[in-house]
Amino acid sequence: MLSFFLSGSEMSIYKSKGFLVRESVFSDAELIEFRTAAQQAQNRAIELIVIGASQGRKISPYALDGNRFADIDFITVQFEHGVGNESVRVIEPVNELSEQFDALIDEPRLTQPMQQIVGTDKLSLWTAKLNLKPAKEGSGFRWHQDSPYWIHDCDHVDQLPNVMVLFDDADASNGCLRVIQGSHKNGRLPGCEDGSQLQGFFTHPNAFSEQDQVLMEAPAGSVVFFDPHIVHGSQPNYSDAPRRAIIITYQPAGYPALKSRVVRPVLKSFNP
Ligand SMILES: O=C(O)CCC(=O)C(=O)O
């Protein structure tokens, strides 16, 4: 079995900067499968929202700061911004709608580094988000940390690292992820006070410097590991093609997942 564990220098980069990029980890053939799975998950989400209520699922539509959301039981679907926009922005947890993405959670190329980062050889899933960033309309994400979203549902937020798998080449033109390097070292930072409903989730501009931002520009198939406290965000997608990605968040074994509240054990990856 191949080893995908992080080298000592990779681990030091992750610890000091709060992120680590590994390029071209997944093959072209795998990327075709991921893109197909992303389309299928999107279709399934829409189908469930349309017919779900009649099939006994609980569908709850709502708006936050003028943006549309719909919960299918505990699965949240965010729509792109703008009145009546039907394009899907995010599905979380997407593994509940997709066998392919559920299988990806156990992938050693993700889990071996995650065992090291979490600091335990047994993991469980915290959450998995599919971010679709459609061509021309995919909206940006304001500067935020993930930890403030999770602190009320978890007492080990320091141990919830993310890995983003890029399904498309990512750069400034299509709204690649941006991180504020080193910002994870300051723990949970104060939120904004701009009167928006979600203000507390966005990081206060005085708490970090945008000059420290690093663009996660990388080819499709690359992976970005990043800390739950790192300040991050992205610009809109102005390009003619989607910028699709999944972000999977792991935690130590035995704890329930964020939204289902059921433990989703991760297949243990053994040393070679
Ligand atoms: O996909 C992006 O552009 C940013 C995603 C993000 O910040 C998040 O899901 O927390």
Side-chain angles (χ1 to χ4, degrees):
M1 182 181 166
L2 286 171
S3 169
F4 304 106
F5 288 106
L6 302 180
S7 66
S9 64
E10 284 179 310
M11 198 65 188
S12 323
I13 291 172
Y14 178 83
K15 282 189 175 152
S16 65
K17 297 191 170 183
F19 70 93
L20 176 79
V21 183
R22 268 187 168 174
E23 290 205 352
S24 307
V25 167
F26 290 93
S27 68
D28 289 347
E30 289 172 310
L31 290 171
I32 291 170
E33 284 176 23
F34 295 157
R35 292 176 194 136
T36 304
Q39 186 61 52
Q40 287 168 344
Q42 188 175 345
N43 296 348
R44 183 77 185 128
I46 298 292
E47 183 183 56
L48 284 171
I49 289 168
V50 174
I51 61 167
S54 63
Q55 293 191 340
R57 294 236 186 194
K58 188 163 168 271
I59 309 293
S60 322
Y62 55 100
L64 288 171
D65 292 327
N67 301 322
R68 270 175 66 220
F69 295 73
D71 283 352
I72 308 163
D73 300 323
F74 59 83
I75 304 167
T76 298
V77 179
Q78 291 182 34
F79 290 91
E80 277 304 342
H81 303 164
V83 178
N85 195 329
E86 294 298 322
S87 301
V88 173
R89 182 177 194 242
V90 175
I91 304 172
E92 180 185 17
V94 68
N95 57 304
E96 299 283 346
L97 289 186
S98 163
E99 278 173 25
Q100 288 96 326
F101 291 138
D102 194 62
L104 186 60
I105 290 165
D106 296 312
E107 165 57 52
R109 283 168 281 183
L110 307 181
T111 60
Q112 288 186 5
M114 279 298 183
Q115 286 172 214
Q116 293 169 286
I117 292 171
V118 175
T120 162
D121 65 354
K122 285 192 188 154
L123 301 171
S124 54
L125 176 71
W126 175 245
T127 193
K129 293 179 276 196
L130 177 66
N131 289 2
L132 290 152
K133 270 248 168 127
K136 296 283 190 206
E137 61 176 348
S139 50
F141 288 73
R142 289 176 62 184
W143 292 115
H144 66 281
Q145 299 174 292
D146 290 330
S147 45
Y149 287 86
W150 297 334
I151 192 79
H152 303 293
D153 296 298
C154 175
D155 58 8
H156 52 273
V157 281
D158 297 346
Q159 284 180 293
L160 302 177
N162 301 293
V163 59
M164 182 178 207
V165 181
L166 303 179
F167 301 167
D168 301 292
D169 295 346
D171 59 27
S173 74
N174 64 9
C176 65
L177 180 73
R178 294 164 187 243
V179 304
I180 304 291
Q181 62 178 328
S183 57
H184 63 300
K185 290 184 178 160
N186 303 321
R188 217 147 43 86
L189 297 168
C192 284
E193 293 160 24
D194 58 8
S196 62
Q197 281 176 287
L198 296 176
Q199 59 177 4
F201 293 124
F202 301 119
T203 313
H204 198 286
N206 295 345
F208 66 98
S209 168
E210 285 197 31
Q211 285 180 352
D212 295 332
Q213 69 181 280
V214 182
L215 276 62
M216 300 291 103
E217 294 188 307
S222 302
V223 300
V224 182
F225 298 94
F226 60 103
D227 189 280
H229 292 297
I230 201 165
V231 178
H232 63 285
S234 63
Q235 297 281 311
N237 180 359
Y238 296 113
S239 79
D240 293 329
R243 196 237 66 196
R244 295 156 289 193
I246 190 170
I247 301 179
I248 304 177
T249 310
Y250 293 88
Q251 63 178 338
Y255 291 100
L258 169 65
K259 290 170 77 65
S260 70
R261 304 315 295 171
V262 169
V263 178
R264 168 32 174 110
V266 171
L267 219 58
K268 188 171 180 312
S269 186
F270 292 94
N271 287 317

